[in-house]
Amino acid sequence: MRLPPSADILYTTPRGKQILGDSREVLPTLDESSVDLIVTSPPFALLRQKSYGNEDQESYVAWLCDFGREAKRVLKDNGSFVLDLGGAYQRGRPTRSLHNYRVLLAFCDELGYNLAEEFYWFNPAKLPSPIEWVNKRKIRAKDSVNTLWWFSKTEWPKADVRKVLTPYSARMKKLLADPASFYRPKDRPSGHDISAGFGKANDEAIPSNLLQIPNTDSNSHYLRTCKALGKEAHPARFPKELPRFFIEFLTEPGDLVVDIFSGSNTTGAIAEELGRRWLSIEIDRTYATLSAIRFMAGRSVEAVRSAVELLTVGKPLELEGLPLLPESTEIEFDLG
Ligand SMILES: C[S@@+](CC[C@H](N)C(=O)[O-])C[C@H]1O[C@@H](n2cnc3c(N)ncnc32)[C@H](O)[C@@H]1O
């Protein structure tokens, strides 16, 4: 990889690199068919401008396709591209924008991706919006689901659902304990044969494509450290369980995971923890710099402050890439 003059390696860890640059310029420097998974959350085509910048809804699809085209070139034949896209209302109207569906169609029809499966991220903690339609006029329900398009380069991306099994619900455990009291084996009208074997316990259940993940982080090491340094944390982070699910599902240890809109580098941090190699690209120096905090869990605030200062003036750092501490771990901050 020979970076374009406009991009820099900001920091490295044992398994990854954080690049400061525009992904449209950095992606062309990556080798063809070298990436196992791209998992990312682009700036959304929201109507309200956010501090991290948005493209107009009209040009949004074409803009995202520029990234999608290069992304496809760098993906391995069995590689996947998971795109997290929030929905939006049309400006001033109580009807939805179709941009996330237009992106889906453009990626498949124009760029030649396959839709391996559509996923939905249900965030029960999402605040009601837009206020006008939901809270004031009460004519729309709360929008708490993001679409997650799982694109693949070929029809046979690497995937193993056994790596992301979920615990059974209480009801399912009851059924498995006493299947006969719930149903008798027979053919269903649909033609599906629900045989007695259905009642046999495997360890865990196959997950559905509705991922229920609350985005409620208010006390992580990253957030507390940003606060202690007097810096504003990235305003649009996804929860680490989101990239974790797809990294475990679609890659193996040692594989290369890329995030082309890396923000606070949630993806790189989880990839590091899971033993995958990673490459994250972020265009904003402040966001990219503060993302280094995720790899400095064992350092004092003063040591983090010095490291962040070095990154801010453009001195690349090698970080330990410590495993993430559990969110509940108390970190002592010297705020004096
Ligand atoms: C929704 S945020 C991603 C947040 C990330 N998933 C996290 O958990 O922190 C999108 C990010 O894309 C960055 N971005 C926008 N255009 C970019 C580009 N051309 N190349 C690289 N990053 C870009 C923005 O600065 C912003 O931080």
Side-chain angles (χ1 to χ4, degrees):
M1 179 178 70
R2 182 183 276 269
L3 285 178
S6 57
D8 277 320
I9 295 180
L10 207 60
Y11 60 86
T12 59
T13 68
R15 300 197 178 97
K17 287 190 184 73
Q18 172 71 56
I19 310 279
L20 173 65
D22 186 328
S23 291
R24 276 169 300 189
E25 292 166 20
V26 177
L27 277 173
T29 68
L30 303 192
D31 287 343
E32 194 174 320
S33 305
S34 59
V35 175
D36 296 281
L37 170 66
I38 298 173
V39 56
T40 199
S41 174
F44 296 154
L46 295 177
L47 300 175
R48 213 161 15 98
Q49 286 285 311
K50 288 232 165 156
S51 58
Y52 54 89
N54 283 295
E55 298 294 308
D56 261 342
Q57 285 197 53
E58 278 132 56
S59 54
Y60 189 71
V61 177
W63 176 79
L64 210 46
C65 278
D66 285 347
F67 297 85
R69 205 169 286 114
E70 267 310 303
K72 185 157 174 256
R73 186 189 67 81
V74 303
L75 276 183
K76 291 182 183 168
D77 281 352
N78 63 357
S80 292
F81 183 165
V82 176
L83 192 62
D84 162 36
L85 280 175
Y89 277 86
Q90 299 191 67
R91 194 183 301 276
R93 283 186 273 162
T95 49
R96 302 285 279 171
S97 156
L98 298 176
H99 72 278
N100 45 342
Y101 302 102
R102 293 195 203 285
V103 167
L104 168 62
L105 294 175
F107 268 50
C108 293
D109 293 347
E110 291 166 32
L111 306 187
Y113 280 100
N114 298 278
L115 177 63
E117 192 170 3
E118 64 275 45
F119 275 74
Y120 300 93
W121 165 27
F122 171 41
N123 172 11
K126 209 162 178 182
L127 292 173
S129 86
I131 289 179
E132 181 65 23
W133 313 134
V134 178
N135 303 50
K136 285 195 188 158
R137 300 199 194 203
K138 303 200 189 304
I139 53 171
R140 292 293 178 271
K142 188 171 107 170
D143 172 27
S144 46
V145 176
N146 272 17
T147 45
L148 289 164
W149 306 139
W150 169 20
F151 297 113
S152 59
K153 190 160 170 176
T154 64
E155 291 175 357
W156 299 97
K158 175 158 69 179
D160 186 348
V161 83
R162 289 167 298 184
K163 295 187 196 153
V164 282
L165 298 178
T166 57
Y168 279 128
S169 62
R171 188 178 149 74
M172 190 64 183
K173 279 186 193 148
K174 258 187 172 174
L175 182 151
L176 291 169
D178 183 14
S181 69
F182 281 79
Y183 66 90
R184 256 186 245 117
K186 61 175 183 188
D187 276 348
R188 289 188 146 188
S190 65
H192 289 112
D193 175 22
I194 306 287
S195 69
F198 180 72
K200 288 201 190 111
N202 296 312
D203 288 344
E204 290 165 301
I206 304 233
S208 85
N209 62 349
L210 175 67
L211 303 176
Q212 179 167 341
I213 307 175
N215 202 0
T216 48
D217 172 24
S218 61
N219 193 33
S220 63
H221 170 263
Y222 166 78
L223 280 188
R224 282 177 287 144
T225 310
C226 284
K227 203 170 169 195
L229 297 180
K231 307 279 186 193
E232 205 183 310
H234 195 288
R237 304 170 317 278
F238 50 31
K240 62 186 176 142
E241 287 73 19
L242 198 70
R244 179 194 292 280
F245 176 85
F246 290 103
I247 292 172
E248 289 187 321
F249 181 23
L250 305 177
T251 69
E252 293 164 295
D255 281 358
L256 179 59
V257 176
V258 173
D259 188 338
I260 58 174
F261 301 105
S262 63
S264 67
N265 202 10
T266 314
T267 303
I270 287 296
E272 181 89 22
E273 187 187 299
L274 296 173
R276 273 65 167 175
R277 292 175 300 126
W278 59 268
L279 183 76
S280 291
I281 311 164
E282 167 58 49
I283 203 167
D284 183 289
R285 178 181 283 276
T286 305
Y287 294 150
T289 297
L290 291 177
S291 76
I293 290 170
R294 294 194 183 273
F295 303 93
M296 295 191 276
R299 297 194 189 186
S300 68
V301 170
E302 276 325 305
V304 176
R305 194 190 304 279
S306 319
V308 165
E309 273 165 16
L310 288 176
L311 290 170
T312 307
V313 296
K315 171 135 185 15
L317 288 183
E318 269 180 41
L319 299 173
E320 310 84 341
L322 287 177
L324 299 185
L325 296 179
E327 295 304 350
S328 56
T329 307
E330 281 301 319
I331 308 282
E332 283 194 16
F333 285 129
D334 172 10
L335 296 167

